[in-house]
Amino acid sequence: FLKQIFRLKIFAPSQELFINFKGTSFEAPTVRSLITTKLEVKMFSASKPDPKDPHQLDGKVRIEILSGRKLTDKAYIGTQSPYLVLKVGPHRMVTKVHNHGGLEPKWNQAFEFNVKGTENQVMAIEVRAKETFNDTTIGKRQVRLYDFWKKCPPKGGWWRIHSKQYIHKIRGEIYFRCRVNGKTYQQQNARRASAQIVSAPAAPPPPSVPKPKMIWEVALPEGVTVRTEPSLTGTKVSYDGKKCIVLPQGTLLDSSLIHKSYSKLKNGKFLATYWIRHGLGWSCCKYGHSQVMIPLSEFKIYEVIARTEISVRTMPGLGAPRSQNILHPGQVILGRQTESVKEAKGAVSTWILHGNGWSCAALGKENFMVQIMFRKAFQVVLKQGVTIRNKPSLKAKVIGELKHMQCAVSREIKQTQEGDKVAVWMRTRAGWSCLKLGNLVTMIPLGQGKAWWEVTAPALSLRCTPGVEGQKTKTVLKKHLCLVSRGLYPLPFEKAYWLKLLGGYSCFKLKQEELMRLKCGVEAWEVVNEAGLY
């Protein structure tokens, strides 16, 4: 062990110096001085390697050079044209020049050569940029051929190249594959079948239950904001720091995470709000009793209303074994399946399958869970609006009104006879409203159409609301563009038919002129009104 400052000089050019140290610093690019506490210096002749060294390869080597990425740009004008030079002992291989390859060149070349155990097997990698007079070095690296073969994955891997003088300055990455005698290192050193211990086959893993994916549609005409946290006091998200992001009506969101929180109102009371997490942030899907978004998937959303924790079982039924998971009061879950089970003493229990197992939602007349979000939503298309009554009848008392273009979430649909006409009623949180009376359609469903349309006009505008007076968006639908419709809006006074699309509305038929054609599918409804929608 040496504890002093000293200088190292190499006189023989055919010798290489390998230093294993645990020290503090050294000066680059050449080793000038070294301050260390533990130093081991090993000198050997590069021209006469040890033939008994197991790290010396012997046979046919195949190296595939595929591509590069994150290369340093050495071109002062235009785009650089990189190529790669490979040196292994007496072998020198050069790839083709990728003209204007820039920072991500593609070579896709393979080189094969033979090596012997008595040769120098240090491989030098150098990436250069082709110039008119003198080529420029982008980066380089040296590595033992055995280590390169050992660390190269079977399907190839990325190798870093560094600066010509400083190792810590990375100049890019090169993708290599390497085989020796037709085999990778993993294939060469695989255990033989006879040496493997024969053991009993492992039991197959239990089938994984796919996680439910919920698709949400914004039903609020004013749209919803995006916040950084699930709370009304959270900061609103914006792109430029000034104008906040507002998701317009009809926007689709993919989210399977629902969070419940409480917000304090000005009067001192607390209001329950429900939030979903999507790509941009958190958005409110239910504000008190008002549903802001509509879940479009077949899963139902439940909330635990029990005051105590609810167990999770592997099968439906009170006699089924319990799992380690539990549901806490106020927790929101996505129900995939519902099943009724007859328990002891004639009691009937209702069980819901969710992500962790089965949980009891009701036992007899006692409820432990309640459905808080509903799928079916309708929008008022009648210009004078639709009344809300306490019973599904035109003779019932009027207790409210749904205005034009207002959305309402249906909890129950019932059909009645009103004189010689058939009426279809919808029950909302406020009461009963008429969806259809004979041939008069007052409300149409949201998010139910699944037809495929193609634009035949040279260009079509996308508007915020159906009608020629609707405000235009910045989106322009070009010819031959294919779209999925999500609703049909006929406007008799304009003699036009409008489609609800993702992001707005567009006209597909104006008088007798066809602006779109139906490629496949059938619209979910066809409106025929005696007095017209408006």
Side-chain angles (χ1 to χ4, degrees):
F1 302 103
L2 303 177
K3 296 183 179 179
Q4 59 182 348
I5 300 177
F6 61 94
R7 297 183 180 273
L8 300 176
K9 294 183 179 180
I10 303 175
F11 297 96
S14 61
Q15 292 181 341
E16 292 187 1
L17 176 65
F18 283 80
I19 304 176
N20 299 326
F21 67 96
K22 296 180 180 179
T24 57
S25 65
F26 65 91
E27 297 179 6
T30 58
V31 180
R32 296 288 185 182
S33 59
L34 181 65
I35 303 175
T36 182
T37 55
K38 294 184 179 180
L39 178 68
E40 178 186 354
V41 181
K42 180 181 180 181
M43 302 285 293
F44 71 94
S45 175
S47 60
K48 296 181 180 180
D50 187 3
K52 297 182 180 180
D53 188 358
H55 294 171
Q56 290 290 110
L57 299 180
D58 193 353
K60 188 176 183 179
V61 180
R62 176 184 173 89
I63 297 179
E64 298 179 12
I65 308 171
L66 302 181
S67 61
R69 68 180 183 185
K70 303 178 182 179
L71 298 184
T72 302
D73 193 1
K74 293 290 184 176
Y76 294 100
I77 301 176
T79 307
Q80 65 184 3
S81 301
Y83 68 96
L84 189 141
V85 180
L86 209 63
K87 295 181 182 179
V88 182
H91 308 282
R92 185 178 186 273
M93 295 146 284
V94 183
T95 65
K96 59 184 180 182
V97 178
H98 186 177
N99 293 325
H100 308 293
L103 308 183
E104 296 183 356
K106 307 290 182 183
W107 295 296
N108 296 325
Q109 282 188 257
F111 298 100
E112 293 183 354
F113 54 93
N114 295 320
V115 295
K116 298 180 181 180
T118 57
E119 295 179 351
N120 178 22
Q121 296 186 1
V122 176
M123 184 173 66
I125 305 169
E126 185 175 2
V127 182
R128 298 178 180 177
K130 188 69 177 178
E131 300 291 347
T132 306
F133 299 102
N134 296 323
D135 296 347
T136 307
T137 300
I138 299 176
K140 61 190 303 183
R141 177 170 184 165
Q142 287 188 354
V143 62
R144 276 194 176 186
L145 189 59
Y146 177 83
D147 297 335
F148 181 79
W149 176 52
K150 180 179 179 180
K151 296 179 181 180
C152 198
K155 295 184 179 180
W158 294 97
W159 288 77
R160 291 182 176 178
I161 57 174
H162 52 77
S163 172
K164 189 176 180 180
Q165 295 181 344
Y166 303 101
I167 298 178
H168 64 279
K169 292 185 178 181
I170 306 302
R171 292 291 183 255
E173 298 178 352
I174 309 298
Y175 196 87
F176 289 99
R177 291 197 192 111
C178 183
R179 293 176 182 269
V180 177
N181 297 324
K183 295 182 180 180
T184 63
Y185 179 83
Q186 290 76 11
Q187 294 174 347
Q188 180 72 24
N189 294 273
R191 295 177 60 187
R192 298 179 180 179
S194 59
Q196 295 179 358
I197 301 175
V198 180
S199 59
S208 58
V209 181
K211 295 184 179 180
K213 292 185 178 180
M214 298 290 294
I215 305 298
W216 300 80
E217 180 187 3
V218 179
L220 202 63
E222 300 83 10
V224 296
T225 58
V226 182
R227 299 179 184 266
T228 56
E229 56 185 16
S231 174
L232 294 177
T233 58
T235 307
K236 295 182 180 180
V237 180
S238 61
Y239 288 121
D240 54 0
K242 297 178 180 179
K243 189 176 181 180
C244 300
I245 299 176
V246 178
L247 303 177
Q249 184 184 22
T251 304
L252 292 182
L253 301 170
D254 183 3
S255 175
S256 299
L257 177 61
I258 307 176
H259 180 80
K260 181 182 179 181
S261 64
Y262 291 91
S263 300
K264 189 175 182 180
L265 303 179
K266 294 182 180 180
N267 56 7
K269 297 183 179 180
F270 287 88
L271 181 69
T273 54
Y274 300 85
W275 301 77
I276 63 170
R277 181 71 170 86
H278 51 86
L280 298 176
W282 292 90
S283 293
C284 182
C285 61
K286 189 177 181 182
Y287 181 82
H289 294 287
S290 301
Q291 191 167 327
V292 181
M293 297 186 186
I294 310 159
L296 301 182
S297 60
E298 65 275 13
F299 304 108
K300 297 182 179 180
I301 305 174
Y302 298 89
E303 181 183 354
V304 179
I305 60 174
R307 296 184 179 180
T308 58
E309 299 174 345
I310 299 178
S311 62
V312 180
R313 302 176 186 263
T314 57
M315 294 293 291
L318 295 177
R322 301 187 180 187
S323 65
Q324 297 180 353
N325 301 312
I326 56 174
L327 299 182
H328 301 278
Q331 186 173 348
V332 181
I333 62 171
L334 302 180
R336 308 178 188 179
Q337 183 181 345
T338 305
E339 188 171 337
S340 299
V341 179
K342 288 186 178 181
E343 306 292 350
K345 299 181 181 180
V348 179
S349 60
T350 303
W351 294 80
I352 296 175
L353 175 63
H354 51 89
N356 297 326
W358 292 86
S359 295
C360 184
L363 179 60
K365 296 182 179 181
E366 186 178 3
N367 295 324
F368 306 112
M369 299 185 193
V370 63
Q371 186 177 354
I372 60 172
M373 303 286 286
F374 299 88
R375 289 184 56 206
K376 297 179 181 179
F378 294 83
Q379 189 172 26
V380 179
V381 293
L382 202 62
K383 191 173 183 180
Q384 56 267 29
V386 179
T387 58
I388 302 175
R389 303 175 184 267
N390 57 354
K391 295 181 181 180
S393 174
L394 293 177
K395 299 179 181 180
K397 182 180 177 181
V398 178
I399 58 177
E401 181 185 5
L402 294 175
K403 298 181 180 180
H404 172 58
M405 299 299 291
Q406 187 175 349
C407 297
V409 181
S410 171
R411 302 191 175 188
E412 182 183 355
I413 295 179
K414 190 175 183 180
Q415 184 173 329
T416 60
Q417 189 72 28
E418 300 290 343
D420 57 343
K421 296 182 180 181
V422 178
V424 180
W425 294 82
M426 173 187 71
R427 185 176 69 87
T428 62
R429 183 182 65 88
W432 291 88
S433 297
C434 186
L435 292 176
K436 184 178 179 182
L437 181 61
N439 292 327
L440 178 63
V441 177
T442 61
M443 306 176 73
I444 60 175
L446 291 176
Q448 303 297 321
K450 294 182 180 179
W452 191 254
W453 295 81
E454 181 183 4
V455 179
T456 57
L460 289 176
S461 61
L462 196 66
R463 301 176 184 267
C464 298
T465 57
V468 294
E469 297 180 357
Q471 184 180 0
K472 292 184 180 180
T473 63
K474 296 181 179 180
T475 305
V476 177
L477 307 180
K478 298 182 180 181
K479 192 174 182 179
H480 302 305
L481 180 64
C482 296
L483 304 161
V484 178
S485 65
R486 310 185 61 250
L488 180 64
Y489 283 74
L491 303 181
F493 69 94
E494 290 184 0
K495 296 182 180 180
Y497 293 85
W498 291 72
L499 287 179
K500 181 182 180 183
L501 307 171
L502 178 60
Y505 302 82
S506 185
C507 182
F508 77 95
K509 185 177 181 182
L510 181 61
K511 296 182 180 179
Q512 301 299 327
E513 184 182 0
E514 298 285 345
L515 305 177
M516 296 186 189
R517 71 179 183 92
L518 185 64
K519 291 192 66 176
C520 64
V522 180
E523 278 295 337
W525 53 83
E526 187 175 294
V527 182
V528 179
N529 280 342
E530 294 177 353
L533 294 179
Y534 293 84

